[in-house]
Amino acid sequence: MKLDLSFVRSQFPAFSEPSLEGWAFFENAGGSYPCKQVIDRLTEFYTKNKVQPYYPYPASQKAGEMMDQAYKRMAEYLNVDPSEIHFGPSTTQNVYVLANAMRPMWKDGDEIIVSCQDHEANAGAWRRLAKRGMKVIEWHVDPQTGMLDVAILKGLLTDRTKMIAYPHCSNVIGYINPVKEISKLAHEYGALSVVDGVGWAPHGLPDLQDLGADIYMFSSYKTYGPHLGVMYVNQHLMAKLENQSHFFKEGIPRGMITPAGPDHAQIGAAAGILEYMDTLYQHHFEEDALPVKRVQALNHLFRDHEIALQEPLLEFLRSRDDLRIVGPGANQDRAPIIAIMPLKKNIKRVYAELIKQQLMLGIGDFYAVRPLMDMGIPTNPGVIRMSFVHYTSEDEVQQLIRGLEETL
Ligand SMILES: Cc1ncc(COP(=O)(O)O)c(C=O)c1O
């Protein structure tokens, strides 16, 4: 079974938008195109239900129902309880709140391990706890490959380790870290496994029960949805967190770690991501299945498609002696988030030329400053990043390869 790409693309209005015609989109790790199910829900909410939710009059009731549905459906797809799902403004802000909510759980001198492969979202707020009595231990990346090594992590764990923060997949290195193994290891030491899933979730929503992380976060605006940060917090852990919201939110999971009034419309629209997944599933498979099984089946289709597209691109990049692939060059255990540094030409000029080839991609440090520092790569100008997802076509990848061939 192969992914029906024209069906997939028909679900994204951007692919029939005249102003985007001819442009190949390779900045998905920055933010994906939204699917039409999300756009429709957002429009519906803004048109009919943009009132304070949860009052008994119809417009308000419907608003509340749309929001509840988003919690329920997200939980179903991630295989957790709806009370364990939290929608905050962004992953960066979610981590900031979590760091404050978790600090009282720990004693002065307790240790937290923070990876150096992370986007700063899952780094800065944890590191700041060093000023509040915590000992912060850095888990460095390999300076050549940018990869994290679990053997090194083992040497960092002690009986005072309380938490390991690391990415499922870095937004510049692209390697898929073994979350299940790391979570198991963390638990052996009585520590928490805190995962930034922002880089990975667009490539396949995870089965969180299977992964075993205590906290898993991703940004729905990179996963075909509205601009929110989705956060799973295990309910046992939730019970130990300090309330970060109004005093009367104490004991109410949905309020305690999302202190601002939530963005009702965007939460309502987030259910559209799952409706999109339903639509894809029904298009490809005859037999119905539970959401967790649907997502598994879809993830296989996504992954096969992405690997097939990634192969010629990586092969092309590996064949060149005028660039460095930042991260692993092999097509295994990596997501299509590929960063390069031209070695013979000025990176900014190369980048400007690529844009002229109607390629939408990014340049810079992508807030992944620490991995670049570990690898000795100047954060300014940084690297050129090409990232794609399951809706990307072979023609677009060929356009990218041609663009690189002409430009490098
Ligand atoms: C891997 C990764 N983590 C975290 C973030 C931050 O997400 P947000 O913008 O929702 O704070 C990003 C954004 O680029 C990212 O790529």
Side-chain angles (χ1 to χ4, degrees), residues 4-300:
D4 180 349
L5 195 63
S6 44
F7 182 76
V8 166
R9 286 165 79 95
S10 72
Q11 306 299 305
F12 289 86
F15 290 117
S16 46
E17 165 54 40
S19 63
L20 291 169
E21 212 184 313
W23 285 89
F25 185 36
F26 287 97
E27 224 317 74
N28 290 275
S32 65
Y33 286 153
C35 57
K36 69 177 182 193
Q37 292 81 353
V38 165
I39 301 171
D40 289 350
R41 275 174 193 253
L42 198 56
T43 308
E44 187 187 336
F45 203 108
Y46 265 92
T47 312
K48 301 182 190 161
N49 306 100
K50 192 73 184 72
V51 296
Q52 187 68 5
Y54 300 110
Y55 284 121
Y57 42 89
S60 174
Q61 251 181 346
K62 181 73 200 309
E65 273 167 27
M66 285 177 77
M67 290 172 67
D68 288 347
Q69 205 188 10
Y71 285 92
K72 181 173 166 284
R73 304 254 28 233
M74 190 60 80
E76 278 174 358
Y77 260 89
L78 298 174
N79 199 16
V80 295
D81 191 81
S83 67
E84 297 176 306
I85 297 295
H86 307 269
F87 290 103
S90 70
T91 297
T92 306
Q93 200 155 323
N94 285 345
V95 177
Y96 182 89
V97 175
L98 278 174
N100 287 295
M102 286 161 80
R103 176 62 189 92
M105 289 168 48
W106 302 319
K107 296 194 186 70
D108 281 2
D110 278 348
E111 297 169 7
I112 55 175
I113 298 174
V114 183
S115 103
C116 293
Q117 202 189 55
D118 273 284
H119 179 287
E120 197 60 15
N122 196 30
W126 301 123
R127 285 162 183 268
R128 262 181 233 134
L129 295 182
K131 291 197 189 124
R132 293 167 58 190
M134 299 296 294
K135 195 167 163 196
V136 176
I137 315 278
E138 293 185 311
W139 180 15
H140 286 282
V141 304
D142 180 285
Q144 291 309 314
T145 64
M147 282 160 70
L148 289 168
D149 184 346
V150 177
I152 293 179
L153 172 66
K154 285 182 183 158
L156 303 175
L157 285 155
T158 74
D159 56 4
R160 293 207 74 173
T161 308
K162 298 296 169 199
M163 182 195 87
I164 310 170
Y166 59 101
H168 196 159
C169 177
S170 147
N171 63 331
V172 287
I173 307 299
Y175 186 76
I176 305 160
N177 289 314
V179 174
K180 209 167 160 173
E181 183 188 351
I182 298 170
S183 299
K184 192 164 169 277
L185 188 62
H187 295 158
E188 279 165 21
Y189 281 79
L192 299 167
S193 170
V194 176
V195 183
D196 175 347
V198 176
W200 175 251
H203 307 282
L205 293 178
D207 176 342
L208 291 177
Q209 277 198 41
D210 182 56
L211 270 191
D214 302 280
I215 295 176
Y216 191 96
M217 298 163 282
F218 65 95
S219 302
S220 52
Y221 70 95
K222 299 178 197 272
T223 312
Y224 322 117
H227 201 118
L228 291 173
V230 184
M231 161 170 62
Y232 155 78
V233 180
N234 175 282
Q235 51 190 289
H236 302 294
L237 172 60
M238 188 69 210
K240 297 181 196 155
L241 299 185
E242 185 182 80
N243 177 21
Q244 297 299 304
S245 188
H246 306 307
F247 73 92
F248 42 82
K249 298 280 183 183
E250 182 70 51
I252 303 171
R254 219 195 256 187
M256 281 170 61
I257 51 170
T258 45
D263 189 322
H264 305 142
Q266 296 213 72
I267 294 177
I273 302 170
L274 297 328
E275 192 187 334
Y276 165 61
M277 299 288 169
D278 290 343
T279 307
L280 278 193
Y281 183 85
Q282 281 151 15
H283 179 78
H284 288 88
F285 302 97
E286 273 173 18
E287 246 178 62
D288 198 12
L290 291 172
V292 63
K293 293 281 173 207
R294 270 179 237 162
V295 83
Q296 264 173 23
L298 289 173
N299 285 355
H300 276 121

